[in-house]
Amino acid sequence: MFRTMALHRAVEDRMVSMYRQGELLGSLYTGHWHEAIAVGTAAALRASDFLAPLHRDLGAHLWRGVDPREVMASFLGKATSPTGGRDGTLHYGRLDLNIYNPPSHIPDNYPVATGAAFAFKYRHSDGVALAYCGDGSTGRGDFHEALNIAAVMDLPCVFVVENNQYSYSTPLRLTTKSPDFAIKASAYGMPGERVDGIDVVAVYEATLRAVARARSGQGPSLIEAVTMRMHGHAEHDPADYVPKELRDEWAKRDPLEEFAFKLQKLKFASDDEIATIKEESRQIAIDARAKALADPMPEPIAMEESVYAD
C-alpha cells in the first residue's frame, strides 16, 4: 500500500509540473491527501470486484494495475491512453480491470456501481461494487437514488464519501446541516462509518468490514473518509478561498509521511527502504512522462472507432 501511495503522489507531482509547463492539453485534477483513501479502499477489494473511482483516486487505478504512462497519455490526448486519445483529461478507465471511467458529473458513478452490484446479485456472484464521491455530491439526487435502491434491494455495494472539506469553493457548513456524512446512512437502513482518511490502515480496515458485509449478502454500507483537498479543485484553481489556518493545520498530516512513520515504528521498513521506495516512484513517474510525451497522437481516420456499438 505504501508503494502505491508513493507512486500516486509521485505521478501527480510530475503531472502538476507538466501542467505548469503547458505540456497537458487541458485541466489537471489531483488527489493530494487522498492517497490513503484511494489505496486503502482499493486494497480491500478483489480484482474481480467493480470499481468506480473519481478524479482524486489515482491510487485506486494504480492498485488495479493501470500504468502511469497510460494516465499521462490520457491527459496528453495520446493514442496510447485508455480512451485512445478521445478524451484529454481524467475520463480514463479500464473495463478489462473492472474500472469504470470516472464521469465529470458526480456522483453519476454511484448509480452505475449500483447497477454493477445488481448484476453481481442477479448472477449469484459474490462480487462487490465500490464507488466514490465527494462531500458536495451527497446533495444530488443520484446519491439518494443509488443509496436507496441499493439498500432496498440489499445490493453488494460500498459507497465511499471523500470528505475533503470543500465542494469546489463551497465549505461544508454551506452544503450540509448534518454533523457528518456517515450518519446519513441510517436514513437508508444501512450502516455508516466515519474514518480518518489520512490513515490508510484505518481506511483499509473499514473497507474490509463493509466489503465482508456486502459479500455475505447483508447489503450496502457507507464509509465517510475525512481528509483535506490540499490543491485547488483543479490546478487552475488557486483555492484562495481556503483559510490559511485550515490548510496549515492539515499540512501537518501528510498521509504518506504518517504511514511511513507507522511502518518504521512497527519495524516493517527502515529509513533507507522508505527513501528507496519514494525515489523509485519518482523515477517511474519521470520515465512515464518521457514515454507518454513520445507516444503518437491518434489518427483522424480512427475517430469513430470504439464510439458506436456494432
Side-chain angles (χ1 to χ4, degrees):
M1 288 194 292
F2 181 77
R3 284 183 183 277
T4 309
M5 288 172 63
L7 187 57
H8 180 159
R9 179 71 60 84
V11 170
E12 289 194 333
D13 282 347
R14 185 61 45 185
M15 286 199 294
V16 168
S17 296
M18 293 169 70
Y19 175 81
R20 292 174 179 172
Q21 293 173 44
E23 293 178 346
L24 304 186
L25 294 181
S27 299
L28 175 64
Y29 302 78
T30 59
H32 290 77
W33 268 237
H34 285 249
E35 296 91 351
I37 302 172
V39 176
T41 49
L45 296 172
R46 298 173 183 166
S48 56
D49 291 329
F50 184 81
L51 190 63
L54 288 182
H55 48 293
R56 314 281 181 215
D57 304 313
L58 172 61
H61 291 271
L62 298 174
W63 182 268
R64 278 286 171 94
V66 174
D67 192 314
R69 174 188 185 177
E70 293 180 83
V71 176
M72 293 182 180
S74 183
F75 282 91
L76 290 165
K78 295 300 184 78
T80 52
S81 76
T83 67
R86 291 174 183 79
D87 191 291
T89 54
L90 54 94
H91 305 119
Y92 56 88
R94 286 275 303 274
L95 291 181
D96 60 314
L97 297 177
N98 296 310
I99 304 174
Y100 176 65
N101 291 45
S104 287
H105 303 287
I106 308 168
D108 280 1
N109 56 332
Y110 264 43
V112 173
T114 301
F118 175 81
F120 283 136
K121 184 171 183 177
Y122 182 80
R123 295 169 180 171
H124 303 289
S125 163
D126 66 349
V128 172
L130 186 146
Y132 308 78
C133 80
D135 47 87
S137 302
T138 63
R140 283 178 49 95
D142 33 12
F143 174 86
H144 161 78
E145 292 163 7
L147 266 67
N148 190 55
I149 291 172
V152 168
M153 301 186 72
D154 286 323
L155 299 180
C157 221
V158 178
F159 299 104
V160 179
V161 176
E162 301 185 59
N163 179 355
N164 62 14
Q165 315 304 313
Y166 280 83
S167 173
Y168 202 124
S169 58
T170 307
L172 284 176
R173 61 184 174 81
L174 297 179
T175 59
T176 182
K177 194 71 172 177
S178 300
D180 57 58
F181 294 100
I183 196 173
K184 297 185 178 185
S186 61
Y188 301 98
M190 69 174 72
E193 182 172 356
R194 196 170 201 246
V195 66
D196 181 1
I198 299 296
D199 184 345
V200 67
V201 176
V203 172
Y204 173 70
E205 292 178 342
T207 310
L208 278 180
R209 288 189 287 272
V211 168
R213 186 174 184 276
R215 216 180 291 287
S216 64
Q218 298 180 64
S221 303
L222 185 147
I223 298 171
E224 176 191 358
V226 184
T227 186
M228 177 66 188
R229 194 191 71 210
M230 293 303 287
H231 285 210
H233 176 69
E235 290 304 313
H236 59 262
D237 168 27
D240 48 10
Y241 43 80
V242 178
K244 182 179 183 300
E245 302 77 27
L246 179 63
R247 189 183 299 279
D248 289 347
E249 190 61 31
W250 279 97
K252 300 173 185 176
R253 297 206 59 208
D254 185 327
L256 205 60
E257 298 307 319
E258 286 199 10
F259 193 27
F261 177 77
K262 181 176 291 188
L263 291 172
Q264 291 166 316
K265 184 178 180 180
L266 295 172
K267 302 190 184 304
F268 291 148
S270 65
D271 290 350
D272 288 344
E273 287 172 323
I274 293 295
T276 297
I277 291 171
K278 288 181 178 179
E279 178 58 24
E280 289 174 349
S281 298
R282 191 178 76 88
Q283 288 299 327
I284 291 172
I286 291 173
D287 292 344
R289 170 186 173 272
K291 292 175 182 176
L293 285 172
D295 283 343
M297 297 297 288
E299 294 291 338
I301 196 172
M303 184 185 301
E304 294 184 357
E305 291 180 7
S306 304
V307 176
Y308 302 103
D310 293 333

